[in-house]
């Protein structure tokens, strides 16, 4: 038994509970895709980020419904790149409860061990606050530049 397992057991917690707490605290979710069966698994936090009820049946149409229409092709081509052995790091928008949110996705293809299916493991992080701050700063910078040009 590892030190982590001993500590979790001593606290009366399950590894799943601790895992979910870490993800909620870091506003980061994880997901897994089986390349042979084409089945997805999402962590509880990933469901929260996308605004879906826990354990909703995941499907391509459902994911397309959540991804901002202007970003669907970018997400699709990035995922195809991963399936061809590449890595993925993209920022894209999703629609969650009528509000546009920004997410950062990282994922990678892994070969299956001992003849098992290849799979893609990924993470998603809600970066809406960071993107909004970036846009606010860019707007202020543009305002200051316009004032500077006027005064010059």
């Amino acid at each position: 038994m590892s030190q982590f397992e001993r500590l979790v057991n001593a606290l009366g917690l399950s590894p799943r509970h601790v895992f979910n707490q870490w993800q909620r605290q870091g506003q980061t979710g994880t997901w897994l895709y089986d390349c042979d069966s084409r089945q997805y698994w999402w962590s509880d936090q990933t469901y929260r980020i996308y605004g879906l009820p826990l354990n909703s049946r995941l499907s391509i149409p459902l994911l397309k419904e959540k991804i901002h229409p202007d970003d669907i092709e970018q997400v699709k081509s990035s995922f195809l790149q991963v399936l061809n052995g590449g890595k993925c790091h993209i920022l894209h928008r999703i629609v969650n409860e009528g509000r546009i949110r920004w997410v950062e996705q990282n994922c990678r293809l892994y070969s299956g061990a001992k003849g098992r299916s290849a799979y893609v493991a990924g993470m998603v992080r809600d970066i809406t606050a960071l993107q909004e701050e970036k846009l606010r700063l860019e707007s202020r910078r543009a305002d200051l530049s316009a004032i500077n040009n006027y005064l010059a």
Side-chain angles (χ1 to χ4, degrees):
M1 182 178 286
S2 73
Q3 185 177 357
F4 170 75
E5 291 169 315
R6 283 193 298 276
L7 180 57
V8 168
N9 287 339
L11 293 171
L13 303 171
S14 71
R16 179 183 169 94
H17 177 77
V18 172
F19 175 75
N20 284 329
Q21 280 184 318
W22 285 337
Q23 290 201 7
R24 196 172 20 255
Q25 190 173 9
Q27 296 181 326
T28 301
T30 52
W31 55 270
L32 193 60
Y33 175 75
D34 180 331
C35 296
D36 287 346
S37 70
R38 297 183 175 182
Q39 291 184 352
Y40 291 92
W41 169 86
W42 279 9
S43 68
D44 293 354
Q45 185 62 20
T46 303
Y47 280 101
R48 282 186 200 94
I49 289 169
Y50 277 83
L52 292 169
L54 291 179
N55 300 316
S56 297
R57 182 153 163 42
L58 301 174
S59 65
I60 299 298
L62 178 62
L63 295 176
K64 283 184 176 179
E65 183 181 303
K66 291 308 235 173
I67 296 169
H68 191 281
D70 294 342
D71 295 345
I72 287 176
E73 286 306 313
Q74 174 193 12
V75 172
K76 182 179 173 182
S77 68
S78 294
F79 191 69
L80 290 174
Q81 178 183 339
V82 169
L83 292 177
N84 288 317
K87 293 180 183 176
C88 168
H89 176 253
I90 62 169
L91 307 179
H92 68 88
R93 294 164 290 177
I94 60 172
V95 181
N96 180 345
E97 298 176 1
R99 183 169 178 233
I100 294 176
R101 306 206 47 91
W102 283 91
V103 295
E104 173 185 36
Q105 291 264 3
N106 285 296
C107 59
R108 181 176 168 218
L109 178 70
Y110 293 89
S111 58
K114 298 181 182 176
R116 297 201 177 183
S117 297
Y119 62 94
V120 178
M123 60 77 60
V124 60
R125 183 169 66 122
D126 185 335
I127 59 165
T128 303
L130 291 171
Q131 284 297 105
E132 288 173 350
E133 182 66 12
K134 178 182 171 186
L135 293 173
R136 188 183 69 74
L137 289 172
E138 287 173 0
S139 175
R140 285 185 131 182
R141 202 172 294 126
D143 290 346
L144 288 172
S145 180
I147 292 169
N148 200 19
N149 289 338
Y150 175 76
L151 292 175

